[in-house]
């Protein structure tokens, strides 16, 4: 079963029904749900975009609850060390929203003027698109129409190569049809989508790098009623990544950043760049690598099983693999600590062929293999 078949997608009507259920018999208030939704969005942002590199965040808020999620996310992002600014052209006087605005003002989070966009887009590292959620209908009306068009023209898929901000869409990429997705084909192209409660049908065509699920409040009765199949939240997390970190479009089989013309001619330099990315992204144990060696009769190989049983040493025929820690890399080679008397020590003495494998999952470099 592929990922798209194994998780559930909601229609627009189901999303609205679940919202009503939660705030009806199930006893939630909108304030609670919005707080958890906004916290999920901020958590997903913090999982991927480190504030040291992506500090300036523009949160664009629409007139409904999706906009409210954006206001909550901005507050949490502020506390997480980001510098959020808000664009909020259609304010509502409801006490919930007025309170969220006051909370942001008390943190001196700036509300930028309506005329300052889209000119100021490029002053930001991240744009949080909290304009429209699952109640969006028809075509966007002013002032959001022009803004969504400008956002769509920012090509944000491969931010390392273009100085444009990454777009993070809350629940739905704004301007997309809730079920059919980007009908025109030239709508917003978020780098990250944070689906709330469960992905909506439009998320099936999301092709950005990161798809997260947030809104950790769905009780079993709702899961059963709608037969929801959703990934489990790990530990205390407020968000969980769905599927692979990179869903590559069929017509774009090799991401531009991996094309030969876009990588360093010197493999050591390229490795160092990718390693620095892995460290900066906060990956756990970026220096952990699977070392495969073989005795004089065999060739080294890392079994795919190793990816699932990450820390286990496995032995396949004449070959063996185990996890070691990278100590140093330079033009002389890759250095790790070992014991000459160990199995790997003996094997390398007999047969100098070896391969290393790094598992940098969230960087779309899940199985970087080095052979020598
Ligand atoms: N259970 C959950 O998952 C929760 C999700 N939350 C978030 O709430 C939104 C849905 O909120 P809702 O207020 O129903 O709708 P929207 O935010 O999508 O926007 C409604 C707002 O927009 C106007 N509008 C609709 N279409 C257009 C248009 N074509 N042009 C201009 N304006 C339009 C409409 O008039 C309304 O004013 C969900 O996606 C989540 O993000 C909750 O926060 C918590 C529970
Ligand atoms: K949105």
């Amino acid at each position: 079963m592929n990922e798209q078949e194994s998780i559930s997608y909601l229609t627009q009507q189901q999303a609205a029904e679940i919202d009503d259920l939660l705030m009806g018999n199930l006893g939630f208030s909108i304030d609670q749900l919005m707080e958890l939704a906004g916290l999920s969005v901020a958590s997903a942002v913090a999982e991927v975009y480190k504030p040291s590199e992506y500090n300036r965040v523009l949160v664009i808020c629409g007139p409904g609850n999706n906009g409210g999620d954006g206001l909550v996310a901005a507050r949490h992002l502020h506390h997480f060390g980001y510098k959020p600014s808000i664009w909020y052209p259609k304010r509502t006087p409801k006490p919930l929203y007025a309170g969220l605005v006051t909370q942001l003002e008390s943190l001196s989070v700036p509300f930028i003027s309506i005329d300052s966009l889209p000119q100021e887009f490029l002053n930001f590292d991240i744009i949080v698109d909290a304009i429209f959620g699952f109640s969006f209908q028809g075509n966007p009306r002013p002032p959001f129409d022009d803004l969504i068009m400008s956002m769509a023209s920012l090509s944000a898929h491969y931010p390392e190569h273009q100085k444009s901000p990454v777009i993070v869409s809350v629940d739905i990429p704004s301007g997309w049809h809730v079920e059919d997705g980007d009908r025109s084909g030239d709508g917003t192209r978020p780098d990250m989508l944070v689906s709330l409660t469960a992905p909506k049908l439009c998320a099936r065509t999301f092709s950005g790098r990161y798809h997260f699920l947030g809104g950790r409040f769905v009780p079993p009765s709702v899961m059963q009623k709608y037969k929801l199949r959703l990934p489990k939240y790990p530990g205390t997390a407020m968000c969980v990544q769905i599927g692979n970190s990179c869903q590559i479009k069929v017509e774009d089989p090799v991401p531009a950043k991996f094309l030969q013309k876009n990588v360093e001619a010197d493999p050591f330099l390229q490795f160092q760049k990718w390693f620095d990315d892995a460290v900066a992204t906060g990956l756990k144990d970026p220096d952990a690598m699977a070392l495969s060696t073989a005795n004089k009769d065999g060739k080294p190989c890392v079994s795919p099983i190793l990816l699932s049983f990450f820390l286990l040493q496995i032995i396949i025929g004449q070959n063996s693999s185990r996890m070691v820690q990278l100590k140093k890399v330079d033009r002389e080679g890759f250095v790790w600590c070992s014991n000459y008397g160990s199995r790997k020590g003996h094997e390398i003495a007999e047969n100098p062929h070896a391969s290393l494998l790094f598992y940098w999952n969230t960087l779309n470099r899940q199985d970087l293999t080095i052979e020598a």
Side-chain angles (χ1 to χ4, degrees), residues 263-274 329 331 334 368 370:
V263 295
E264 297 292 338
D266 176 345
F268 288 100
L269 193 53
Q270 186 60 55
F271 175 85
Q272 191 61 54
K273 284 188 168 179
W274 281 346
V329 57
R331 286 202 165 64
F334 291 74
L368 176 69
I370 292 148

Side-chain angles (χ1 to χ4, degrees), residues 60 66-67 128-134 151 168-175 193-194:
I60 305 181
N66 198 259
V128 175
D129 150 32
I131 306 176
F132 298 122
F134 63 60
M151 227 163 57
V168 174
S169 287
V170 179
D171 211 17
I172 311 280
S174 295
L193 172 64
V194 186

